[in-house]
């Protein structure tokens, strides 16, 4: 959830370190898709972006990152809005199974793979720990995106891995910021 990410990824520290506005959103059990009552992906691209714009933040283009199902959500949102809005996407240990799940979660995972071509043109960096049960599906997702940057380093599906890796993801995102 959002509060867990705030502390688990040291988001306050990372915002100070990079000078970036970093926002965390909890996708709940909607898996970043429209489940008929809530579309958490549209909450990000609509409500959240509009709220940030009202606060004076530049949101014409933005980067997305997330861990586990949030990594899947980052890719789904990037696929939905495209390179006109998203200048980089950096999932960590994305939950992108190739089968075996059911319901809304499975639909999201099938969609992110089926729509992989929509990430072409958006700089993408996929990372996963080699001790994570999702390593193979992250590698297979990366094969769908030959231009993606990847990193497979020791670590599991937990904040001990994501905390330092998120800092690296942010450094990579910073290098992707469009220069005007």
């Amino acid at each position: 959830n959002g509060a867990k990410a705030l502390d688990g990824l040291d988001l306050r520290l990372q915002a100070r370190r990079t000078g970036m506005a970093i926002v965390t959103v909890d996708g709940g059990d909607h898996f970043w898709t429209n489940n008929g009552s809530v579309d958490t992906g549209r909450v990000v691209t609509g409500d959240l972006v509009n709220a940030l714009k009202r606060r004076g933040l530049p949101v014409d283009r933005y980067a997305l990152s997330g861990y586990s199902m949030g990594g899947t959500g980052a890719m789904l949102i990037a696929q939905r809005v495209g390179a006109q809005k998203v200048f980089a996407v950096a999932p960590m240990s994305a939950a992108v199974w190739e089968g075996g799940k059911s319901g809304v979660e499975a639909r999201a995972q099938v969609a992110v793979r089926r729509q992989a071509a929509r990430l072409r043109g958006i700089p993408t960096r996929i990372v996963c720990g080699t001790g994570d049960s999702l390593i193979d599906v992250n590698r297979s997702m990366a094969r769908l995106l030959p231009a993606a940057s990847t990193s497979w380093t020791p670590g599991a599906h937990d904040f001990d891995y994501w905390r330092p890796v998120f800092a690296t993801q942010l450094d990579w995102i910073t290098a992707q910021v469009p220069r005007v």
Side-chain angles (χ1 to χ4, degrees):
N1 67 30
K4 195 185 282 187
L6 187 66
D7 294 332
L9 298 176
D10 284 333
L11 295 186
R12 289 178 191 93
L13 171 71
Q14 294 305 329
R16 283 190 304 273
R17 183 181 72 80
T18 63
M20 289 183 178
I22 300 173
V23 179
T24 181
V25 177
D26 185 347
D29 59 358
H30 304 290
F31 303 103
W32 305 103
T33 63
N34 185 346
N35 75 350
S37 64
V38 175
D39 183 340
T40 49
R42 288 215 193 279
V43 168
V44 171
T45 61
D47 298 343
L48 177 61
V49 167
N50 289 331
L52 296 172
K53 187 180 232 177
R54 284 191 301 274
R55 289 177 174 247
L57 292 170
V59 291
D60 291 335
R61 297 198 66 214
Y62 47 85
L64 298 164
S65 186
Y67 60 88
S68 196
M69 201 62 204
T72 304
M75 289 186 285
L76 284 168
I77 292 168
Q79 290 168 337
R80 180 184 285 181
V81 300
Q84 305 85 345
K85 289 287 183 187
V86 176
F87 69 82
V89 63
M92 302 181 295
S93 310
V96 288
W97 289 282
E98 297 176 84
K101 295 286 179 178
S102 62
V104 176
E105 183 177 10
R107 286 194 300 277
Q109 293 158 353
V110 167
V112 79
R113 288 175 167 286
R114 187 182 66 243
Q115 302 170 154
R118 291 183 184 179
L119 290 175
R120 293 190 182 124
I122 301 173
T124 302
R125 184 168 194 269
I126 300 172
V127 302
C128 191
T130 55
D132 190 321
S133 64
L134 297 176
I135 184 68
D136 291 337
V137 295
N138 276 263
R139 285 179 170 151
S140 71
M141 184 70 197
R143 284 191 292 276
L144 296 174
L145 301 164
S149 172
T150 60
S151 177
W152 320 119
T153 55
H157 200 81
D158 57 32
F159 286 110
D160 288 339
Y161 171 74
W162 296 321
R163 188 175 307 106
V165 168
F166 184 63
T168 303
Q169 292 291 76
L170 285 176
D171 292 341
W172 178 82
I173 288 169
T174 300
Q176 308 309 307
V177 173
R179 305 292 178 222
V180 286

